[in-house]
Structure formats: structure tokens, C-alpha cells
Amino acid sequence: MKLVFATNNLNKLREVQALVPHQIKLLSLADIGCEEDIPETSQTIEGNAKQKARYIKEHYGYNCFADDTGLEVEALDGAPGVYSARYAGKAKDANANMDKLLKELAGIENRNAQFKTVIALVLDDTLETFTGICKGSITPDKKGEGGFGYDPVFLPKGYTKTFAELLLSEKNKIGHRGKAMDLLLKFLNR
């Protein structure tokens, strides 16, 4: 089976490649010649995932899955949420995003947060979605060199290390994207 993973984010691609069994040939956007920015204009994480997956099927004809992920912080009423990548501006600068988040949480005791990933799968004429959530909290400062995005400030529940301090294999076991991918793979294997 061939499936396109509709992302230009090489970090996401690497995470997902580590989870996909060898009988699924995973194609990247570069593999299919998709160089344009796929629209993400929905007001929800689920809507953006669906939009990206449908775009590839409609414009390139491939069965495809796409994800959208947001960091939802309780004390900020779920922000940055769907705007996580552009929280500090259109540049999608991870350090600027984390700095803004830490500044907004300064002096706030409730640092509960969750990462939410929704994967949309377009398989022939069907559309399915799979959601993975990882609960945790926001640390007072950045820790770790691994991962990407908000990983240096996200402490998964029950752990003493941020996502950026965990090995990729550890993060994939407990993380939001790994959980959503697990549901996707179970669906494909049924």
C-alpha cells in the first residue's frame, strides 16, 4: 500500500516514518512533486487535517493522510490551539512561540496543557479521522535539545523529562502523534 503523508515538516515525517510498518510505502510531498503550501484555513485542528488530506487526493490523486497538531493550555482557554505554529507570528518560529507562551504563563500556577493531534485519512472514497492526546504541563523554562516545536517546554504527565529530553522512541510511545498513528494503523490493518 502507498500512502502520502501530507507534511513539509521533516520532524513530523521522521516521527511518523519510525511508526509505519514496512508493508506501507510512505511517500512525502516531495516524492509526489507537491511543492506548494497546502491551505490550512480551518478554525479547528480536525478541519485543517481534513483540508490537507483532501487537497492531496483532489490535486494529486493519492490516498493520503495529514495531521494537524495543537498545544492546548488550560489557563489560556485552550490557546495556542489551532494557531500553535503561528502563535508568535507568521514566521512559525518555535523559539518565539515558546517565549511568548512562557511569558503569558509567568506567575500563573495552573500550567496544565495537552498536545492534540488529529490525523485525517483519505482512502479511496472515504475520510476517517484519528485523535491522539497527551496530557501534561508547561515547564517554567526550556529543557532539552531534541524534538521540535513546543517539546522543550512540554512535560508529559507522569514524566520528569520534557518531550525534548526524551528519545524519539519514548516520545512516540506516549505522545499525541504516536497515539493518533496507532489508531490509524489499527484501522488500516482491520
Side-chain angles (χ1 to χ4, degrees):
M1 170 188 285
K2 283 185 183 177
L3 271 180
V4 172
F5 179 29
T7 186
N8 284 311
N9 184 321
L10 297 178
N11 291 304
K12 282 185 183 183
L13 186 61
R14 193 177 78 241
E15 272 188 18
V16 167
Q17 282 173 327
L19 297 167
V20 174
H22 66 277
Q23 61 265 32
I24 296 174
K25 181 168 174 48
L26 194 62
L27 301 173
S28 69
L29 292 178
D31 291 333
I32 64 167
C34 177
E35 296 176 8
E36 65 264 33
D37 274 338
I38 300 171
E40 292 181 68
T41 56
S42 176
Q43 298 299 304
T44 66
I45 292 168
E46 182 175 318
N48 279 336
K50 288 178 178 179
Q51 187 177 17
K52 290 187 281 188
R54 284 183 180 129
Y55 183 93
I56 294 302
K57 184 67 173 175
E58 289 168 11
H59 291 83
Y60 292 87
Y62 287 93
N63 285 329
C64 169
F65 67 94
D67 88 323
D68 199 35
T69 297
L71 176 65
E72 301 173 333
V73 180
E74 206 172 274
L76 302 177
D77 297 321
V82 72
Y83 304 107
S84 293
R86 296 171 183 83
Y87 195 45
K90 290 182 181 177
K92 298 183 182 181
D93 182 296
N95 278 311
N97 289 336
M98 285 186 286
D99 291 343
K100 179 178 179 178
L101 178 65
L102 293 176
K103 185 177 179 185
E104 290 188 2
L105 288 175
I108 295 176
E109 210 169 294
N110 176 5
R111 299 179 82 83
N112 292 336
Q114 68 179 22
F115 267 120
K116 177 181 178 181
T117 290
V118 177
I119 293 176
L121 169 70
V122 174
L123 193 62
D124 301 322
D125 296 326
T126 63
L127 173 69
E128 299 286 337
T129 58
F130 310 92
T131 302
I133 290 175
C134 182
K135 295 189 177 292
S137 60
I138 303 301
T139 58
D141 47 27
K142 302 171 196 170
K143 293 180 183 170
E145 300 297 320
F148 63 99
Y150 294 90
D151 286 359
V153 297
F154 185 79
L155 184 69
K157 190 174 183 175
Y159 284 74
T160 57
K161 293 180 177 180
T162 66
F163 268 170
E165 295 174 295
L166 295 175
L167 296 172
L168 177 59
S169 58
E170 293 173 301
K171 181 185 173 188
N172 272 343
K173 280 182 194 165
I174 63 166
H176 46 291
R177 191 166 296 103
K179 289 177 179 179
M181 279 299 299
D182 187 51
L183 295 172
L184 166 71
L185 294 171
K186 282 178 178 162
F187 175 82
L188 291 174
N189 288 327
R190 64 182 167 83

